[in-house]
Every structure is written in C-alpha cells, then in structure tokens.
Amino acid sequence: MLQDFNLLVSTSRGNEKNTCSEMWYLLGEAGDRCATVERTPIIGLVLAKTRLEPVAAVQRLRSLLIERPWEFRYTLKITPILGVVSSDPQKIEELALRLAESIRKEETFRITVEKRRTSISGRTLTEAIAKRIDRKVNLDSPDKIVLVQIVGELTGVSVISSDDILSVEREKRLASLEREQ
C-alpha cells in the first residue's frame, strides 16, 4: 500500500481497478503525468500520490469535472491529504495539532474521524485533539475541518474547508441543475 499518499479516493465496490486507471489519467490531465495510484485492501478505497499540492490537485480535478464530466465514470469522492503518519494515536494527534496551526483565530473548526480497519477509538482521538485546539467549534458549518482518515496501519490528516473535498456526484447534480436554469 502507498505509504505517502496525498489523495484519498472512494469508488463503488468492484471498481477499484477502474478507478486507479481513471485517477492516473485524470491526474495526468490535471498536470501530473507521474502520479501513483494504488488500490487498498479496503473495498471502495484507492490512494494516490501526486506531485501537485493536494488541495490544488482537487481544484484542478474539479475544473476537469466541470469541463468533461463524462471522464469521471468510477471516481465518487476525492479528498486531499496533507500529512500521513502511522496509525498511532499519539502520532495522529501530533500531526493534527501541527496542521491545525493553520486555523486562524477567527475561524471555527470541526474534527471528523473516518476509520477503517482499526481499533482506535474515534471519540477518544477527537477529544484529545479538540481539547488542544484553542478555536471555536462549529459542528454544522465550520470554516475548517480537521479530517483524520485512518486506513489500517496508516493515517492521513488534513485541515481543509468542506469545498476542498470533491464529491463527484454532487458536483454533477449541481452542474445539471445550473444547466436547467
């Protein structure tokens, strides 16, 4: 499994191989012809490593989706990952706190933990991180999301806005609605 991924990609069951090919092609179209894309042991989950800054890569992929939606056949969601550590609660907390320094004083935040193939307690992890971030919490519409993605032995962490995640089906629906108006 890719150890230093910076994009987490979800797909439907059985389409992991197709998604790998699709993401490799799309990342090439977005400006990185040397991207690496691999399946994980987890159904519906693919990891990618791009030379592009991960949030910028997602924005470029969003632009491609708007221009050529038919090229996104298997990819469901693309999430930028800003750092990866082993799935040790202390290391995850340290990385999350380091990345959370980017949250400005006036901004609100929420912590979201998504875990796969681990016994780490999401609630315990959330509480440990939250108590050390001196910012206002907003669970409904935060300015920033401290996103912890546990994928077995590896964990990806990001501090991003909700717009930094590309949900392909939602974007296609929005574009369809805009065309109807």
Side-chain angles (χ1 to χ4, degrees), residues 100-105 107-109 133 135 144 146 159:
E101 291 173 4
S102 68
I103 303 171
R104 296 189 310 263
K105 283 279 187 198
E107 290 181 316
T108 59
F109 79 99
I133 299 176
R135 303 288 183 271
K144 297 290 182 181
V146 178
V159 175

Side-chain angles (χ1 to χ4, degrees), residues 48-61:
K49 172 69 174 175
T50 177
R51 291 188 204 179
L52 303 170
E53 193 280 324
V55 174
V58 171
Q59 296 307 326
R60 287 183 186 188
L61 290 167

Side-chain angles (χ1 to χ4, degrees), residues 94-161:
E94 288 169 8
L95 177 58
L97 292 172
R98 191 169 67 245
L99 292 173
E101 291 173 4
S102 68
I103 303 171
R104 296 189 310 263
K105 283 279 187 198
E106 69 278 3
E107 290 181 316
T108 59
F109 79 99
R110 170 183 85 212
I111 298 172
T112 300
V113 176
E114 294 184 13
K115 49 191 217 126
R116 302 158 189 94
R117 294 195 178 184
T118 184
S119 60
I120 295 172
S121 166
R123 183 182 182 130
T124 302
L125 194 57
T126 299
E127 290 171 356
I129 296 167
K131 73 180 181 186
R132 295 186 53 200
I133 299 176
D134 186 25
R135 303 288 183 271
K136 191 173 179 181
V137 173
N138 182 336
L139 299 178
D140 297 322
S141 59
D143 297 309
K144 297 290 182 181
I145 300 167
V146 178
L147 182 60
V148 178
Q149 293 277 356
I150 303 174
V151 184
E153 299 298 316
L154 295 173
T155 298
V157 180
S158 296
V159 175
I160 54 178
S161 69

Side-chain angles (χ1 to χ4, degrees), residues 32-92:
D32 183 3
R33 300 254 180 239
C34 298
T36 305
V37 185
E38 289 183 7
R39 296 170 63 171
T40 69
I42 299 160
I43 292 170
L45 199 64
V46 170
L47 302 177
K49 172 69 174 175
T50 177
R51 291 188 204 179
L52 303 170
E53 193 280 324
V55 174
V58 171
Q59 296 307 326
R60 287 183 186 188
L61 290 167
R62 178 175 278 117
S63 295
L64 277 174
L65 175 62
I66 291 166
E67 292 170 22
R68 307 184 305 226
W70 58 88
E71 292 188 351
F72 288 75
R73 295 178 54 203
Y74 304 105
T75 302
L76 297 177
K77 185 163 83 169
I78 307 167
T79 305
I81 300 297
L82 303 181
V84 177
V85 292
S86 62
S87 293
D88 170 273
Q90 184 65 36
K91 289 181 180 177
I92 296 167

Side-chain angles (χ1 to χ4, degrees), residues 11-16 43-44 76:
T11 186
S12 56
R13 173 187 289 267
N15 279 320
E16 296 85 1
I43 292 170
L76 297 177

